[in-house]
Amino acid sequence: MDLSAFSYQKFVNFALQETKLRTSLAPLPSHEKFRLLRSKDNNTVLRTLSFRAPKIRLVRSLTIEGNRAMQVLDFAVFPEPEFDLPIFCANFFTNASLSIIVLDLNPLYDVTIHTDYKEKYYRKLLPLGKKYFELLPWGGNITGESLRFFSPIVIWTRFNSSQFKHDVLYSAFVDYFKAWLALMDEAVKETSACHVHRNREAQHKYLTWRAEKDPGHPLLKKLVGENLAKELVWGFLFDGVDSLGAKTFLDYFPEYKCDSGTINQKRSVMGKSYEMRPWDLNGEFVGNHSG
Ligand code: BLA
C-alpha cells in the first residue's frame, strides 16, 4: 500500500472535534516541548497533542509519519481518578505491508477477576465489538501480560495494509470513541475517598506497565534516541506515572524481579499465548495460558 496519501491525523482530528462538542479542552503547556519532533535521520516526523477537560485527566495523541514507509498512532484518554471509566486506547502501527492494531476501552480493573466491572461497562458494548470481530479478526498469539489490560471488546488485529482495511479501522475507531464519550457523559463522580484511591492506583498500575513494557518503545528509541524516547514515554505518553502513585514497577509486577533485584528486561515473562480470541460473544473469558 502506498502510504503517502494515508495519515492517522484524520483519526485524531475526529476524536478531538467530537470531544469538543461535549466538553471544553484545555491545552497542557508542560507538553509543549513534545509538539513537533524529528527523527535523528530526519526522515520521520513525530507530532503530539494533549489536553485535559472535566472528567478527563489527560487526552493525548502521538502520530509518527515516516516518508511513505510508516504511519503510527498512539491515542489515549485517561479519566480523572474520581471516575472508574475505562482508558480509551488506540495503538496503530502501519508500514507499507503490515498493520499492527490495538483498539480498546481498556478496563481499569482486570475483567477476568472483576466481573462487576465487566458487567458495568462491557455488557452493553458487546454488540459493538461483535460488529468488527469478523472484518478485524483476532491478531493471534499475544504476550500473556497484555491480556489483563484488555476488555472483551478489544480489537487486536494484524493485517496487510490496504485502503479497505483502514476504512474499516476508521469506522471502528469512530464507533469505539463515541462509545467512550457516551460512558463519560453518564459517569458520576465517585465521592468515597477509598474508591477514588483505588481508581488512582489502578490507573497508576496501568501507566507503570505501559511506561516500562509497551511494545512501541524500541522503535521510539531507534527514532529519537534513548533519552528523548524516555522523556516522551514518562513525561508525555504515560504522564502521571511519576505523580499518581508511589509504587514501583516491581511492586505491581514482582514476577519481573531478577535475582539482582533489577527489572527483567524481557517484555514478557509469561510468553505469548491466546492464539484465538479468548472471549466468547457473551463476553465470557474462555482462554487459558496455553490457549
Ligand atoms: C506490537 N503492540 C504490539 C503488540 C501489541 C501491541 C499487543 C503485539 C506484540 C505483543 O504480543 O505484545 C500493543 N500491547 C499493546 C497495547 C497494550 C499492550 C496498546 O499491552 C496496552 C495495554 N506500537 C505503538 C507505537 C509503536 C508501535 C506507538 O503503539 C511505535 C512507536 C510499534 N507495536 C509496534 C511494533 C510492534 C508492536 C513495531 C511489533 C514488534 C513486537 O511485537 O515487539
Side-chain angles (χ1 to χ4, degrees), residues 202-248:
Q203 188 173 148
H204 186 243
K205 180 177 181 182
Y206 177 95
L207 293 167
T208 303
W209 168 255
R210 294 200 61 187
E212 193 68 44
K213 296 294 180 190
D214 214 53
H217 296 351
L219 180 60
L220 273 185
K221 278 186 199 156
K222 213 173 107 191
L223 289 172
V224 299
E226 181 130 20
N227 292 338
L228 186 52
K230 197 153 189 212
E231 268 193 72
L232 197 57
V233 166
W234 289 74
F236 177 78
L237 288 177
F238 306 111
D239 193 353
V241 64
D242 289 328
S243 58
L244 285 193
K247 285 194 184 167
T248 66

mmCIF file of all heavy atoms in Angstrom, residues 202-248:
data_model
loop_
_atom_site.group_PDB
_atom_site.id
_atom_site.type_symbol
_atom_site.label_atom_id
_atom_site.label_comp_id
_atom_site.label_asym_id
_atom_site.label_seq_id
_atom_site.Cartn_x
_atom_site.Cartn_y
_atom_site.Cartn_z
ATOM 1 N N ALA A 202 -5.232 1.968 40.298
ATOM 2 C CA ALA A 202 -5.409 1.105 39.115
ATOM 3 C C ALA A 202 -4.866 1.802 37.870
ATOM 4 O O ALA A 202 -4.219 1.180 37.021
ATOM 5 C CB ALA A 202 -6.889 0.766 38.944
ATOM 6 N N GLN A 203 -5.139 3.092 37.763
ATOM 7 C CA GLN A 203 -4.605 3.828 36.607
ATOM 8 C C GLN A 203 -3.078 3.917 36.678
ATOM 9 O O GLN A 203 -2.387 3.802 35.666
ATOM 10 C CB GLN A 203 -5.221 5.242 36.533
ATOM 11 C CG GLN A 203 -4.838 5.935 35.246
ATOM 12 C CD GLN A 203 -5.534 7.267 34.999
ATOM 13 O OE1 GLN A 203 -4.943 8.140 34.399
ATOM 14 N NE2 GLN A 203 -6.769 7.430 35.438
ATOM 15 N N HIS A 204 -2.555 4.091 37.890
ATOM 16 C CA HIS A 204 -1.107 4.160 38.044
ATOM 17 C C HIS A 204 -0.440 2.839 37.661
ATOM 18 O O HIS A 204 0.612 2.810 37.026
ATOM 19 C CB HIS A 204 -0.750 4.541 39.491
ATOM 20 C CG HIS A 204 0.703 4.782 39.699
ATOM 21 N ND1 HIS A 204 1.474 4.023 40.541
ATOM 22 C CD2 HIS A 204 1.547 5.683 39.138
ATOM 23 C CE1 HIS A 204 2.723 4.454 40.499
ATOM 24 N NE2 HIS A 204 2.796 5.470 39.659
ATOM 25 N N LYS A 205 -1.088 1.742 38.021
ATOM 26 C CA LYS A 205 -0.556 0.428 37.657
ATOM 27 C C LYS A 205 -0.504 0.292 36.126
ATOM 28 O O LYS A 205 0.485 -0.187 35.554
ATOM 29 C CB LYS A 205 -1.454 -0.659 38.259
ATOM 30 C CG LYS A 205 -0.996 -2.063 37.948
ATOM 31 C CD LYS A 205 -1.891 -3.104 38.625
ATOM 32 C CE LYS A 205 -1.370 -4.505 38.307
ATOM 33 N NZ LYS A 205 -2.216 -5.564 38.884
ATOM 34 N N TYR A 206 -1.565 0.734 35.465
ATOM 35 C CA TYR A 206 -1.633 0.694 34.005
ATOM 36 C C TYR A 206 -0.502 1.538 33.393
ATOM 37 O O TYR A 206 0.216 1.089 32.498
ATOM 38 C CB TYR A 206 -3.007 1.219 33.565
ATOM 39 C CG TYR A 206 -3.226 1.305 32.074
ATOM 40 C CD1 TYR A 206 -3.850 0.262 31.393
ATOM 41 C CD2 TYR A 206 -2.843 2.429 31.346
ATOM 42 C CE1 TYR A 206 -4.077 0.341 30.025
ATOM 43 C CE2 TYR A 206 -3.068 2.520 29.980
ATOM 44 C CZ TYR A 206 -3.685 1.476 29.320
ATOM 45 O OH TYR A 206 -3.903 1.558 27.964
ATOM 46 N N LEU A 207 -0.344 2.766 33.919
ATOM 47 C CA LEU A 207 0.699 3.655 33.392
ATOM 48 C C LEU A 207 2.077 3.046 33.616
ATOM 49 O O LEU A 207 2.957 3.114 32.747
ATOM 50 C CB LEU A 207 0.623 5.024 34.093
ATOM 51 C CG LEU A 207 -0.617 5.871 33.824
ATOM 52 C CD1 LEU A 207 -0.693 7.022 34.832
ATOM 53 C CD2 LEU A 207 -0.620 6.415 32.397
ATOM 54 N N THR A 208 2.260 2.455 34.801
ATOM 55 C CA THR A 208 3.554 1.864 35.151
ATOM 56 C C THR A 208 3.878 0.719 34.196
ATOM 57 O O THR A 208 5.007 0.578 33.722
ATOM 58 C CB THR A 208 3.515 1.357 36.606
ATOM 59 O OG1 THR A 208 3.161 2.445 37.462
ATOM 60 C CG2 THR A 208 4.847 0.804 37.040
ATOM 61 N N TRP A 209 2.859 -0.070 33.896
ATOM 62 C CA TRP A 209 3.051 -1.183 32.959
ATOM 63 C C TRP A 209 3.486 -0.664 31.591
ATOM 64 O O TRP A 209 4.492 -1.084 31.022
ATOM 65 C CB TRP A 209 1.754 -2.000 32.827
ATOM 66 C CG TRP A 209 1.819 -2.949 31.684
ATOM 67 C CD1 TRP A 209 1.201 -2.827 30.471
ATOM 68 C CD2 TRP A 209 2.618 -4.146 31.614
ATOM 69 N NE1 TRP A 209 1.556 -3.875 29.656
ATOM 70 C CE2 TRP A 209 2.424 -4.691 30.329
ATOM 71 C CE3 TRP A 209 3.475 -4.788 32.512
ATOM 72 C CZ2 TRP A 209 3.052 -5.856 29.918
ATOM 73 C CZ3 TRP A 209 4.100 -5.956 32.101
ATOM 74 C CH2 TRP A 209 3.887 -6.480 30.822
ATOM 75 N N ARG A 210 2.712 0.272 31.080
ATOM 76 C CA ARG A 210 2.982 0.717 29.710
ATOM 77 C C ARG A 210 4.267 1.540 29.613
ATOM 78 O O ARG A 210 4.975 1.467 28.610
ATOM 79 C CB ARG A 210 1.777 1.470 29.163
ATOM 80 C CG ARG A 210 0.561 0.535 29.020
ATOM 81 C CD ARG A 210 -0.478 1.063 28.076
ATOM 82 N NE ARG A 210 0.039 1.236 26.722
ATOM 83 C CZ ARG A 210 -0.632 1.805 25.742
ATOM 84 N NH1 ARG A 210 -1.835 2.267 25.955
ATOM 85 N NH2 ARG A 210 -0.088 1.926 24.538
ATOM 86 N N ALA A 211 4.558 2.336 30.640
ATOM 87 C CA ALA A 211 5.787 3.131 30.589
ATOM 88 C C ALA A 211 7.014 2.211 30.568
ATOM 89 O O ALA A 211 8.053 2.549 30.016
ATOM 90 C CB ALA A 211 5.865 4.075 31.790
ATOM 91 N N GLU A 212 6.876 1.030 31.158
ATOM 92 C CA GLU A 212 8.032 0.120 31.223
ATOM 93 C C GLU A 212 8.073 -0.848 30.043
ATOM 94 O O GLU A 212 9.142 -1.140 29.513
ATOM 95 C CB GLU A 212 7.963 -0.673 32.543
ATOM 96 C CG GLU A 212 9.226 -1.423 32.913
ATOM 97 C CD GLU A 212 10.397 -0.514 33.262
ATOM 98 O OE1 GLU A 212 10.187 0.470 34.000
ATOM 99 O OE2 GLU A 212 11.508 -0.786 32.772
ATOM 100 N N LYS A 213 6.914 -1.345 29.613
ATOM 101 C CA LYS A 213 6.928 -2.511 28.717
ATOM 102 C C LYS A 213 6.188 -2.342 27.394
ATOM 103 O O LYS A 213 5.991 -3.312 26.678
ATOM 104 C CB LYS A 213 6.321 -3.726 29.457
ATOM 105 C CG LYS A 213 7.116 -4.196 30.668
ATOM 106 C CD LYS A 213 8.477 -4.754 30.270
ATOM 107 C CE LYS A 213 9.268 -5.226 31.483
ATOM 108 N NZ LYS A 213 10.669 -5.541 31.152
ATOM 109 N N ASP A 214 5.766 -1.139 27.050
ATOM 110 C CA ASP A 214 4.989 -1.011 25.818
ATOM 111 C C ASP A 214 5.814 -1.449 24.601
ATOM 112 O O ASP A 214 6.975 -1.076 24.470
ATOM 113 C CB ASP A 214 4.523 0.441 25.638
ATOM 114 C CG ASP A 214 3.166 0.505 24.966
ATOM 115 O OD1 ASP A 214 2.237 -0.161 25.448
ATOM 116 O OD2 ASP A 214 3.048 1.207 23.944
ATOM 117 N N PRO A 215 5.196 -2.231 23.704
ATOM 118 C CA PRO A 215 5.948 -2.763 22.556
ATOM 119 C C PRO A 215 6.474 -1.694 21.590
ATOM 120 O O PRO A 215 7.345 -1.975 20.793
ATOM 121 C CB PRO A 215 4.917 -3.647 21.827
ATOM 122 C CG PRO A 215 3.804 -3.856 22.776
ATOM 123 C CD PRO A 215 3.818 -2.735 23.746
ATOM 124 N N GLY A 216 5.949 -0.465 21.669
ATOM 125 C CA GLY A 216 6.417 0.588 20.760
ATOM 126 C C GLY A 216 7.760 1.201 21.152
ATOM 127 O O GLY A 216 8.408 1.868 20.339
ATOM 128 N N HIS A 217 8.189 0.985 22.417
ATOM 129 C CA HIS A 217 9.377 1.694 22.902
ATOM 130 C C HIS A 217 10.647 1.477 22.089
ATOM 131 O O HIS A 217 11.370 2.445 21.810
ATOM 132 C CB HIS A 217 9.655 1.355 24.368
ATOM 133 C CG HIS A 217 8.582 1.807 25.303
ATOM 134 N ND1 HIS A 217 7.539 2.614 24.904
ATOM 135 C CD2 HIS A 217 8.377 1.560 26.623
ATOM 136 C CE1 HIS A 217 6.745 2.841 25.933
ATOM 137 N NE2 HIS A 217 7.223 2.204 26.985
ATOM 138 N N PRO A 218 10.953 0.230 21.694
ATOM 139 C CA PRO A 218 12.206 0.044 20.941
ATOM 140 C C PRO A 218 12.249 0.895 19.658
ATOM 141 O O PRO A 218 13.285 1.486 19.337
ATOM 142 C CB PRO A 218 12.205 -1.454 20.614
ATOM 143 C CG PRO A 218 11.361 -2.071 21.681
ATOM 144 C CD PRO A 218 10.322 -1.060 22.022
ATOM 145 N N LEU A 219 11.121 0.994 18.982
ATOM 146 C CA LEU A 219 11.087 1.802 17.769
ATOM 147 C C LEU A 219 11.248 3.292 18.087
ATOM 148 O O LEU A 219 11.978 4.013 17.388
ATOM 149 C CB LEU A 219 9.776 1.550 17.012
ATOM 150 C CG LEU A 219 9.617 2.350 15.721
ATOM 151 C CD1 LEU A 219 10.730 2.031 14.737
ATOM 152 C CD2 LEU A 219 8.264 2.053 15.080
ATOM 153 N N LEU A 220 10.602 3.746 19.155
ATOM 154 C CA LEU A 220 10.761 5.149 19.559
ATOM 155 C C LEU A 220 12.224 5.464 19.842
ATOM 156 O O LEU A 220 12.742 6.503 19.432
ATOM 157 C CB LEU A 220 9.956 5.434 20.828
ATOM 158 C CG LEU A 220 8.494 5.828 20.686
ATOM 159 C CD1 LEU A 220 7.943 6.175 22.066
ATOM 160 C CD2 LEU A 220 8.323 7.014 19.741
ATOM 161 N N LYS A 221 12.883 4.538 20.537
ATOM 162 C CA LYS A 221 14.308 4.730 20.856
ATOM 163 C C LYS A 221 15.135 4.834 19.587
ATOM 164 O O LYS A 221 16.034 5.659 19.469
ATOM 165 C CB LYS A 221 14.831 3.572 21.704
ATOM 166 C CG LYS A 221 14.513 3.741 23.161
ATOM 167 C CD LYS A 221 15.171 2.639 23.993
ATOM 168 C CE LYS A 221 14.466 2.557 25.339
ATOM 169 N NZ LYS A 221 14.591 1.266 25.979
ATOM 170 N N LYS A 222 14.814 3.974 18.637
ATOM 171 C CA LYS A 222 15.544 3.980 17.375
ATOM 172 C C LYS A 222 15.357 5.329 16.666
ATOM 173 O O LYS A 222 16.291 5.871 16.075
ATOM 174 C CB LYS A 222 15.028 2.839 16.482
ATOM 175 C CG LYS A 222 16.085 2.236 15.602
ATOM 176 C CD LYS A 222 15.558 1.011 14.876
ATOM 177 C CE LYS A 222 15.350 1.334 13.403
ATOM 178 N NZ LYS A 222 14.611 0.299 12.686
ATOM 179 N N LEU A 223 14.163 5.865 16.740
ATOM 180 C CA LEU A 223 13.866 7.097 16.010
ATOM 181 C C LEU A 223 14.501 8.329 16.647
ATOM 182 O O LEU A 223 15.111 9.146 15.963
ATOM 183 C CB LEU A 223 12.348 7.310 15.910
ATOM 184 C CG LEU A 223 11.585 6.370 14.987
ATOM 185 C CD1 LEU A 223 10.077 6.583 15.139
ATOM 186 C CD2 LEU A 223 11.985 6.594 13.527
ATOM 187 N N VAL A 224 14.314 8.485 17.961
ATOM 188 C CA VAL A 224 14.718 9.763 18.573
ATOM 189 C C VAL A 224 15.819 9.614 19.621
ATOM 190 O O VAL A 224 16.221 10.610 20.224
ATOM 191 C CB VAL A 224 13.504 10.491 19.214
ATOM 192 C CG1 VAL A 224 12.461 10.822 18.167
ATOM 193 C CG2 VAL A 224 12.890 9.678 20.342
ATOM 194 N N GLY A 225 16.301 8.399 19.796
ATOM 195 C CA GLY A 225 17.376 8.190 20.769
ATOM 196 C C GLY A 225 16.813 7.870 22.138
ATOM 197 O O GLY A 225 15.674 8.181 22.461
ATOM 198 N N GLU A 226 17.660 7.239 22.934
ATOM 199 C CA GLU A 226 17.223 6.710 24.225
ATOM 200 C C GLU A 226 16.668 7.777 25.171
ATOM 201 O O GLU A 226 15.612 7.592 25.773
ATOM 202 C CB GLU A 226 18.422 5.998 24.873
ATOM 203 C CG GLU A 226 18.122 5.382 26.205
ATOM 204 C CD GLU A 226 18.580 3.927 26.280
ATOM 205 O OE1 GLU A 226 19.439 3.544 25.461
ATOM 206 O OE2 GLU A 226 18.059 3.211 27.154
ATOM 207 N N ASN A 227 17.365 8.920 25.260
ATOM 208 C CA ASN A 227 16.962 9.924 26.255
ATOM 209 C C ASN A 227 15.628 10.577 25.931
ATOM 210 O O ASN A 227 14.749 10.680 26.779
ATOM 211 C CB ASN A 227 18.037 11.004 26.407
ATOM 212 C CG ASN A 227 19.293 10.425 27.042
ATOM 213 O OD1 ASN A 227 19.228 9.393 27.711
ATOM 214 N ND2 ASN A 227 20.416 11.078 26.808
ATOM 215 N N LEU A 228 15.482 11.021 24.674
ATOM 216 C CA LEU A 228 14.235 11.671 24.284
ATOM 217 C C LEU A 228 13.072 10.682 24.313
ATOM 218 O O LEU A 228 11.956 11.020 24.716
ATOM 219 C CB LEU A 228 14.380 12.314 22.899
ATOM 220 C CG LEU A 228 13.202 13.160 22.429
ATOM 221 C CD1 LEU A 228 12.810 14.194 23.472
ATOM 222 C CD2 LEU A 228 13.544 13.862 21.108
ATOM 223 N N ALA A 229 13.352 9.439 23.908
ATOM 224 C CA ALA A 229 12.303 8.418 23.946
ATOM 225 C C ALA A 229 11.805 8.247 25.381
ATOM 226 O O ALA A 229 10.606 8.166 25.640
ATOM 227 C CB ALA A 229 12.818 7.093 23.394
ATOM 228 N N LYS A 230 12.735 8.232 26.312
ATOM 229 C CA LYS A 230 12.367 8.058 27.711
ATOM 230 C C LYS A 230 11.516 9.229 28.217
ATOM 231 O O LYS A 230 10.513 9.047 28.896
ATOM 232 C CB LYS A 230 13.631 7.910 28.559
ATOM 233 C CG LYS A 230 13.335 7.337 29.898
ATOM 234 C CD LYS A 230 14.443 6.583 30.565
ATOM 235 C CE LYS A 230 13.790 5.916 31.794
ATOM 236 N NZ LYS A 230 14.627 5.756 32.915
ATOM 237 N N GLU A 231 11.934 10.437 27.832
ATOM 238 C CA GLU A 231 11.158 11.634 28.216
ATOM 239 C C GLU A 231 9.749 11.590 27.653
ATOM 240 O O GLU A 231 8.777 11.948 28.308
ATOM 241 C CB GLU A 231 11.834 12.890 27.662
ATOM 242 C CG GLU A 231 12.802 13.551 28.581
ATOM 243 C CD GLU A 231 13.156 14.936 28.058
ATOM 244 O OE1 GLU A 231 12.309 15.849 28.117
ATOM 245 O OE2 GLU A 231 14.282 15.092 27.538
ATOM 246 N N LEU A 232 9.679 11.181 26.400
ATOM 247 C CA LEU A 232 8.387 11.119 25.711
ATOM 248 C C LEU A 232 7.464 10.100 26.394
ATOM 249 O O LEU A 232 6.273 10.347 26.586
ATOM 250 C CB LEU A 232 8.647 10.736 24.252
ATOM 251 C CG LEU A 232 7.574 10.977 23.214
ATOM 252 C CD1 LEU A 232 7.152 12.427 23.153
ATOM 253 C CD2 LEU A 232 8.092 10.540 21.835
ATOM 254 N N VAL A 233 8.032 8.975 26.751
ATOM 255 C CA VAL A 233 7.247 7.901 27.361
ATOM 256 C C VAL A 233 6.820 8.276 28.785
ATOM 257 O O VAL A 233 5.657 8.139 29.148
ATOM 258 C CB VAL A 233 8.048 6.584 27.360
ATOM 259 C CG1 VAL A 233 7.413 5.557 28.271
ATOM 260 C CG2 VAL A 233 8.167 6.046 25.939
ATOM 261 N N TRP A 234 7.742 8.781 29.586
ATOM 262 C CA TRP A 234 7.449 9.047 31.003
ATOM 263 C C TRP A 234 6.782 10.399 31.211
ATOM 264 O O TRP A 234 5.950 10.563 32.086
ATOM 265 C CB TRP A 234 8.732 8.962 31.850
ATOM 266 C CG TRP A 234 9.204 7.548 31.959
ATOM 267 C CD1 TRP A 234 9.814 6.834 30.961
ATOM 268 C CD2 TRP A 234 9.051 6.658 33.066
ATOM 269 N NE1 TRP A 234 10.066 5.549 31.399
ATOM 270 C CE2 TRP A 234 9.617 5.420 32.694
ATOM 271 C CE3 TRP A 234 8.512 6.802 34.343
ATOM 272 C CZ2 TRP A 234 9.635 4.314 33.546
ATOM 273 C CZ3 TRP A 234 8.551 5.703 35.204
ATOM 274 C CH2 TRP A 234 9.103 4.475 34.793
ATOM 275 N N GLY A 235 7.162 11.387 30.369
ATOM 276 C CA GLY A 235 6.675 12.745 30.590
ATOM 277 C C GLY A 235 5.473 13.104 29.740
ATOM 278 O O GLY A 235 4.803 14.099 29.989
ATOM 279 N N PHE A 236 5.210 12.293 28.700
ATOM 280 C CA PHE A 236 4.097 12.627 27.820
ATOM 281 C C PHE A 236 3.119 11.467 27.666
ATOM 282 O O PHE A 236 1.981 11.534 28.108
ATOM 283 C CB PHE A 236 4.605 13.100 26.448
ATOM 284 C CG PHE A 236 3.485 13.385 25.511
ATOM 285 C CD1 PHE A 236 2.763 14.569 25.610
ATOM 286 C CD2 PHE A 236 3.095 12.461 24.550
ATOM 287 C CE1 PHE A 236 1.676 14.825 24.789
ATOM 288 C CE2 PHE A 236 2.006 12.701 23.725
ATOM 289 C CZ PHE A 236 1.298 13.886 23.837
ATOM 290 N N LEU A 237 3.558 10.380 27.034
ATOM 291 C CA LEU A 237 2.617 9.293 26.702
ATOM 292 C C LEU A 237 1.938 8.746 27.954
ATOM 293 O O LEU A 237 0.735 8.520 27.967
ATOM 294 C CB LEU A 237 3.343 8.157 25.978
ATOM 295 C CG LEU A 237 3.780 8.441 24.547
ATOM 296 C CD1 LEU A 237 4.563 7.246 23.990
ATOM 297 C CD2 LEU A 237 2.591 8.759 23.647
ATOM 298 N N PHE A 238 2.734 8.507 28.995
ATOM 299 C CA PHE A 238 2.182 7.931 30.219
ATOM 300 C C PHE A 238 2.384 8.894 31.384
ATOM 301 O O PHE A 238 2.706 8.494 32.505
ATOM 302 C CB PHE A 238 2.746 6.519 30.436
ATOM 303 C CG PHE A 238 2.498 5.679 29.211
ATOM 304 C CD1 PHE A 238 3.536 5.270 28.386
ATOM 305 C CD2 PHE A 238 1.191 5.374 28.825
ATOM 306 C CE1 PHE A 238 3.285 4.566 27.210
ATOM 307 C CE2 PHE A 238 0.926 4.672 27.654
ATOM 308 C CZ PHE A 238 1.978 4.262 26.848
ATOM 309 N N ASP A 239 2.166 10.154 31.080
ATOM 310 C CA ASP A 239 2.262 11.211 32.084
ATOM 311 C C ASP A 239 1.329 10.848 33.238
ATOM 312 O O ASP A 239 0.176 10.456 33.010
ATOM 313 C CB ASP A 239 1.853 12.549 31.449
ATOM 314 C CG ASP A 239 2.228 13.723 32.336
ATOM 315 O OD1 ASP A 239 2.672 13.489 33.471
ATOM 316 O OD2 ASP A 239 2.063 14.871 31.890
ATOM 317 N N GLY A 240 1.850 10.965 34.441
ATOM 318 C CA GLY A 240 1.088 10.544 35.623
ATOM 319 C C GLY A 240 1.800 9.379 36.304
ATOM 320 O O GLY A 240 1.595 9.127 37.481
ATOM 321 N N VAL A 241 2.669 8.713 35.559
ATOM 322 C CA VAL A 241 3.370 7.559 36.140
ATOM 323 C C VAL A 241 4.238 8.010 37.320
ATOM 324 O O VAL A 241 4.448 7.249 38.267
ATOM 325 C CB VAL A 241 4.193 6.810 35.055
ATOM 326 C CG1 VAL A 241 5.305 7.650 34.467
ATOM 327 C CG2 VAL A 241 4.736 5.505 35.599
ATOM 328 N N ASP A 242 4.705 9.273 37.294
ATOM 329 C CA ASP A 242 5.511 9.777 38.408
ATOM 330 C C ASP A 242 4.695 10.497 39.476
ATOM 331 O O ASP A 242 5.238 10.872 40.505
ATOM 332 C CB ASP A 242 6.575 10.764 37.889
ATOM 333 C CG ASP A 242 7.662 10.040 37.119
ATOM 334 O OD1 ASP A 242 7.959 8.881 37.452
ATOM 335 O OD2 ASP A 242 8.191 10.640 36.165
ATOM 336 N N SER A 243 3.430 10.738 39.231
ATOM 337 C CA SER A 243 2.664 11.560 40.178
ATOM 338 C C SER A 243 1.410 10.882 40.757
ATOM 339 O O SER A 243 0.946 11.275 41.825
ATOM 340 C CB SER A 243 2.257 12.887 39.513
ATOM 341 O OG SER A 243 1.501 12.633 38.351
ATOM 342 N N LEU A 244 0.871 9.883 40.069
ATOM 343 C CA LEU A 244 -0.395 9.312 40.559
ATOM 344 C C LEU A 244 -0.206 8.307 41.687
ATOM 345 O O LEU A 244 -1.175 7.930 42.355
ATOM 346 C CB LEU A 244 -1.159 8.620 39.419
ATOM 347 C CG LEU A 244 -1.872 9.493 38.385
ATOM 348 C CD1 LEU A 244 -2.810 8.649 37.554
ATOM 349 C CD2 LEU A 244 -2.633 10.632 39.024
ATOM 350 N N GLY A 245 1.008 7.845 41.864
ATOM 351 C CA GLY A 245 1.236 6.855 42.915
ATOM 352 C C GLY A 245 2.721 6.711 43.175
ATOM 353 O O GLY A 245 3.538 7.170 42.379
ATOM 354 N N ALA A 246 3.054 6.059 44.284
ATOM 355 C CA ALA A 246 4.461 5.923 44.655
ATOM 356 C C ALA A 246 4.980 4.503 44.432
ATOM 357 O O ALA A 246 6.173 4.249 44.528
ATOM 358 C CB ALA A 246 4.647 6.323 46.112
ATOM 359 N N LYS A 247 4.075 3.570 44.111
ATOM 360 C CA LYS A 247 4.544 2.193 43.934
ATOM 361 C C LYS A 247 5.413 2.078 42.687
ATOM 362 O O LYS A 247 5.249 2.834 41.729
ATOM 363 C CB LYS A 247 3.344 1.252 43.822
ATOM 364 C CG LYS A 247 2.667 0.999 45.155
ATOM 365 C CD LYS A 247 1.723 -0.186 45.063
ATOM 366 C CE LYS A 247 0.991 -0.359 46.381
ATOM 367 N NZ LYS A 247 -0.138 -1.290 46.251
ATOM 368 N N THR A 248 6.298 1.101 42.711
ATOM 369 C CA THR A 248 7.204 0.908 41.579
ATOM 370 C C THR A 248 6.702 -0.232 40.698
ATOM 371 O O THR A 248 5.786 -0.976 41.070
ATOM 372 C CB THR A 248 8.603 0.518 42.087
ATOM 373 O OG1 THR A 248 8.487 -0.772 42.715
ATOM 374 C CG2 THR A 248 9.145 1.531 43.076
#
